[in-house]
Amino acid sequence: MNTADQASLTRRAVLGGALAGAGLIAVGGTAAASRKVRVLIATNEPWGTYHVEPLLAEAARRRWQLTQLVPDFSQIAPDDPVPTAVPDAAGHADLLVINGAEDWPADCAARFRRLPLVASSLAYLDPVEAARAKQVRPRLRAITSSSPAESRAFGEYLGTHRKIQVVGSPQTDALPQRAPEPGLVLVLTSVTHDDDTGDAAPGTELLLAAAEQLQAAGKRILVGLHPREDPALWSRYEISDVPSLQASARAEAAIGIPGTVFPLIAAVGTPVVGCTDPALTVPDYLLSVCSTTIDDPAKALSAVDKAQLPDQKTLADAVGPIGGSANRLLNTWSRAIRR
């Protein structure tokens, strides 16, 4: 076993061991039922089905039906694997899950006021109380997040001191085995332009210039596109045909605009460099997993060449438990239905 493999094994043991020792990693669902459980999900990004997709395999194993509520089908691809419905046609349901308290999920909560309600952080949110958080707080039967660090930010976002269940990220249930290719850098984009689904994240010009600097220095550039990013901006580079988390296993380092995937990529064993813009606001824990951050593309090469992983305590705090995360999340939803 080489040094990289030993580090990966140690990292996974640390991340998976904390909650396992407390008896919180379950291997079987508790929601077995004689009929199909139906869950409606409303996200801050109304058409952002990519937040729900990692849950589909566990839902199918349990014979659950997950349906994302959307305002209309204008931004849903015909081959999208996530079932969607407009509220008026959603039919019977056992639970409503919201991943935030912006207008769309808050409106859905008001529309389905008789359903049990759960808040689950499926993507990072700024630790500032949402304007409509007070409307959903009294109804919440459970709150979940992926990691201890995310739970602190999510609690502030919801304006609550209630206990938040740390379940891990379903995206880490099948982490790829790292096999870095010499000179390969993964560029992690965000969203350049606001749209009806969600806001943009500043920093794209900095990241584009950094990618140019890296390519000019001889690095191979592989782009991991945010699902809502405009691919035309990155057409001069190879664009990954697999999700960024999976692609990160090939890279010596990753560089991008800090987002939800940053801690997960660090969990794979690939160090990350953050591109930060004065207008960009992200929770501190996303910055904590960065080897460093840059605000000047001229610093990109040095930052990538010197990139290192965070210490294990920081990583465990930001990532949460690995393995069985989708199972733990749906277990929590199941208990909320039965309350």
Side-chain angles (χ1 to χ4, degrees), residues 46-135:
W47 294 273
T49 56
Y50 45 88
H51 295 311
V52 177
E53 187 172 353
L55 303 175
L56 294 182
E58 177 63 18
R61 188 185 72 81
R62 295 171 179 244
R63 296 187 62 253
W64 284 30
Q65 176 69 55
L66 305 185
T67 301
Q68 180 157 335
L69 296 172
V70 295
D72 55 52
F73 301 108
S74 63
Q75 299 184 50
I76 300 298
D79 59 349
D80 195 315
V82 177
T84 54
V86 296
D88 287 345
H92 166 79
D94 301 288
L95 178 71
L96 173 63
V97 175
I98 56 176
N99 91 317
E102 308 307 321
D103 284 341
W104 178 246
D107 287 346
C108 290
R111 167 68 173 75
F112 295 94
R113 59 186 179 276
R114 296 181 182 276
L115 283 182
L117 186 66
V118 168
S120 291
S121 182
L122 303 177
Y124 88 83
L125 295 162
D126 291 332
V128 178
E129 184 172 344
R132 298 184 65 179
K134 60 186 177 185
Q135 297 177 25

Side-chain angles (χ1 to χ4, degrees), residues 154-337:
F154 199 34
E156 292 185 50
Y157 172 85
L158 292 173
T160 183
H161 296 289
R162 285 178 52 183
K163 178 179 176 59
I164 296 177
Q165 299 291 326
V166 175
V167 297
S169 170
Q171 293 185 69
T172 66
D173 284 350
L175 281 180
Q177 188 67 39
R178 187 167 187 248
E181 300 172 15
L184 184 66
V185 177
L186 178 66
V187 172
L188 301 164
T189 77
S190 186
V191 182
T192 304
H193 303 292
D194 292 353
D195 59 27
D196 291 338
T197 293
D199 296 333
T204 296
E205 290 185 5
L206 170 61
L207 185 58
L208 280 165
E212 290 179 4
Q213 292 276 341
L214 291 167
Q215 187 181 59
K219 300 293 186 182
R220 295 166 53 217
I221 303 298
L222 177 66
V223 178
L225 284 177
H226 186 283
R228 292 195 293 114
E229 176 62 305
D230 178 4
L233 290 173
W234 301 93
S235 60
R236 63 180 292 187
Y237 304 110
E238 178 187 356
I239 295 178
S240 175
D241 58 1
V242 297
S244 296
L245 184 61
Q246 185 177 345
S248 71
R250 295 175 50 197
E252 288 190 326
I255 183 171
I257 300 168
T260 302
V261 76
F262 266 44
L264 312 184
I265 286 176
V268 171
T270 301
V272 291
V273 172
C275 287
T276 55
D277 184 282
L280 181 68
T281 302
V282 296
D284 288 343
Y285 75 91
L286 295 183
L287 301 177
S288 75
V289 300
C290 294
S291 172
T292 188
T293 60
I294 63 169
D295 56 10
D296 180 347
K299 299 178 181 178
L301 179 60
S302 176
V304 163
D305 282 342
K306 297 177 181 177
Q308 297 180 338
L309 292 169
D311 62 77
Q312 293 293 343
K313 181 178 179 181
T314 299
L315 192 57
D317 187 49
V319 176
I322 288 178
S325 297
N327 179 65
R328 283 190 294 275
L329 178 58
L330 268 63
N331 279 349
T332 303
W333 293 359
S334 179
R335 288 191 292 271
I337 294 171

Side-chain angles (χ1 to χ4, degrees), residues 122-148:
L122 303 177
Y124 88 83
L125 295 162
D126 291 332
V128 178
E129 184 172 344
R132 298 184 65 179
K134 60 186 177 185
Q135 297 177 25
V136 302
R137 275 198 307 264
R139 285 181 53 197
L140 294 176
R141 294 192 177 185
I143 307 172
T144 71
S145 70
S146 66
S147 70

